[in-house]
Amino acid sequence: MFVKRIYNFSAGPATLPLAVLEEVQKQLLDFEGQGMSILEMSHRSKPYEAINKEAEANMKELLGLGDDYRVLFLQGGASTQFSMLPLNYLPQGATADYILSGVWSEKALKEAKLIGKTHVAATTAEGNYTRVPQQAEIVLSDKPAYVHMTSNNTIFGTQWHEFPEVGDALLVADMSSDMLCKPFDAKKFAIIYAGAQKNLGPAGVTVVVIRKELLGNNPKTIPTMLRYDTHADSDSLYNTPPVFSVYMVNLVLRWIKEQGGLTAMQAKNEAKAALIYNTIDESGGFYRGHAEVGSRSLMNITFRLPSEELEKAFVTEATKAGLDGLKGHRSVGGLRASVYNAMPHEGCQALRDFMLDFQKRNG
Ligand SMILES: *Cc1c(COP(=O)(O)O)cnc(C)c1O
């Protein structure tokens, strides 16, 4: 059967590795001789338990984490983590610090404000989030309950390349759009969370990485489903988990390992992003990047054209040419190419070629 696949630059849900989709297709009707699909199987069954265990182990292995961390597979998206985090770890009287580097960090702050006291430790809102804050700009409160940051700003196309130093404060990161795109020191973080639908798999599951010593350290009044310890104590099986999403995340984790792990992902991602950024930089001003060079994201590349008419034409013609999902978010405008781990090098080459051709015709 001939299947025509296009290059999908959507910010999320986003493109998935073809090898993973083919594996899913192969296993759909009969998962490993069970005579049924994962979609139909009890989450208490042996095959699912094995997937659940392997997914946690694979995630820890890729992050270089040991027994002092747990990996949880939860529902409600990264957006539920915006509330779950302060519910569990912002006690009355304490202050939680938020570093604002985009719309998603603003949303995280908004939820924390509903629960307790907050402090903005740094913000780059002025100038519409063209960069992430520098270390010298970060002013923490006295003994913050935790410091929250967003590692990659999906909408603005900026990314932290060196994480902030916060002394002995608990550092928490929303890594929804760049988790596992390159090696990093995961032990620096008390909690990491990420909706899977950008760089880890399909929608429906949120990955939470949490330092074990934090578990149980939360008020007894929090509803059961919103407690991290509930899910840690039951290995993410307190209630019915999104079994198919976890299964697919595990296949993506296996795929990343086969690619050579995070070091290999970084090399591939840097080569891919360079194709697009170089085209922007060498366009003589026809393409203008939104992000400052030092804060450029490897995952989401945001750029403008000389006029909105040209931007519209670019999106329409690119879609016709099999390059989809390039329309930028309304808060930045212009174009956004999301080039997550699963975007093949050829996709970025095709986009570069299209950009060069479009400029030739319209520049
Ligand atoms: C997409 C995104 C979110 C929201 O994720 P949901 O799973 O839809 O709640 C949060 N943070 C960042 C950085 C994102 O890119």
Side-chain angles (χ1 to χ4, degrees):
M1 186 177 60
F2 176 74
V3 180
K4 185 177 182 293
R5 301 257 309 157
I6 60 164
Y7 292 117
N8 171 16
F9 294 91
S10 160
T15 193
L16 288 160
L18 182 59
V20 166
L21 292 174
E22 284 169 346
E23 172 102 19
V24 169
Q25 187 181 40
K26 231 175 30 203
Q27 295 183 327
L28 188 63
L29 299 186
D30 176 11
F31 179 77
E32 292 182 351
Q34 300 295 311
M36 58 173 125
S37 79
I38 290 286
L39 286 159
E40 304 162 291
M41 207 178 283
S42 164
H43 58 294
R44 312 273 174 212
S45 65
K46 281 244 149 51
Y48 183 73
E49 254 178 43
I51 289 167
N52 187 43
K53 272 217 170 71
E54 191 194 322
E56 174 166 15
N58 281 337
M59 183 60 81
K60 276 205 209 169
E61 185 187 327
L62 284 165
L63 293 174
L65 294 174
D67 277 346
D68 44 345
Y69 280 84
R70 288 301 310 269
V71 177
L72 312 175
F73 300 105
L74 309 185
Q75 296 187 69
S79 301
T80 296
Q81 293 308 305
F82 295 166
S83 317
M84 210 164 141
L85 171 68
L87 273 173
N88 283 267
Y89 296 118
L90 175 50
Q92 254 185 5
T95 300
D97 287 9
Y98 279 74
I99 300 176
L100 303 185
S101 54
V103 167
W104 293 114
S105 22
E106 286 177 1
K107 288 194 171 167
L109 170 65
K110 178 175 166 238
E111 295 307 305
K113 277 186 174 166
L114 297 172
I115 288 155
K117 270 197 294 191
T118 59
H119 161 73
V120 174
T123 174
T124 49
E126 203 181 317
N128 204 18
Y129 293 119
T130 54
R131 61 181 181 88
V132 298
Q134 290 162 5
Q135 182 68 38
E137 296 170 310
I138 300 171
V139 182
L140 300 181
S141 65
D142 188 32
K143 294 202 175 66
Y146 57 80
V147 181
H148 180 279
M149 60 170 291
T150 313
S151 58
N152 183 73
N153 302 285
T154 326
I155 292 172
F156 298 93
T158 64
Q159 187 176 25
W160 293 78
H161 296 296
E162 240 173 275
F163 291 124
E165 285 303 330
V166 297
D168 48 14
L170 300 176
L171 185 57
V172 177
D174 173 359
M175 296 198 180
S176 290
S177 52
D178 70 345
M179 180 91 158
L180 305 186
C181 81
K182 59 181 178 180
F184 68 100
D185 183 11
K187 292 185 203 76
K188 224 178 139 83
F189 294 89
I191 299 176
I192 298 168
Y193 63 87
Q197 68 275 17
K198 280 146 188 160
N199 208 26
L200 299 175
V205 63
T206 310
V207 176
V208 174
V209 178
I210 183 167
R211 213 176 267 158
K212 250 189 200 166
E213 64 184 19
L214 290 172
L215 295 165
N217 255 346
N218 43 1
K220 300 291 166 251
T221 48
I222 308 167
T224 308
M225 275 295 286
L226 297 176
R227 310 175 64 90
Y228 291 106
D229 51 355
T230 299
H231 300 287
D233 290 347
S234 56
D235 297 328
S236 305
L237 290 165
Y238 175 76
N239 72 323
T240 317
V243 289
F244 200 75
S245 299
V246 175
Y247 154 73
M248 281 193 71
V249 165
N250 187 43
L251 293 182
V252 170
L253 297 177
R254 281 189 193 170
W255 175 82
I256 294 174
K257 282 170 53 176
E258 281 162 20
Q259 302 293 300
L262 301 193
T263 308
M265 287 325 313
Q266 177 173 25
K268 287 173 201 279
N269 288 330
E270 283 176 351
K272 278 159 28 186
L275 286 171
I276 314 299
Y277 283 126
N278 290 344
T279 307
I280 292 172
D281 293 342
E282 290 160 12
S283 72
F286 183 77
Y287 297 112
R288 283 173 295 121
H290 175 80
E292 283 184 18
V293 172
S295 292
R296 280 177 167 176
S297 168
L298 283 179
M299 301 276 95
N300 309 97
I301 301 174
T302 46
F303 58 100
R304 306 288 318 239
L305 269 67
S307 70
E308 285 189 23
E309 287 73 57
L310 280 175
E311 286 167 349
K312 261 199 190 132
F314 185 101
V315 172
T316 310
E317 291 179 30
T319 307
K320 273 195 201 132
L323 308 168
D324 199 34
L326 286 162
K327 191 175 184 312
H329 190 277
R330 61 187 178 282
S331 32
V332 179
L335 288 302
R336 170 174 55 178
S338 297
V339 292
Y340 299 120
N341 286 352
M343 171 59 66
H345 193 81
E346 295 73 31
C348 291
Q349 281 173 329
L351 176 57
R352 177 209 46 199
D353 293 347
F354 180 84
M355 288 171 75
L356 292 174
D357 182 58
F358 188 86
Q359 183 179 358
K360 214 179 268 167
R361 290 184 283 111
N362 297 282

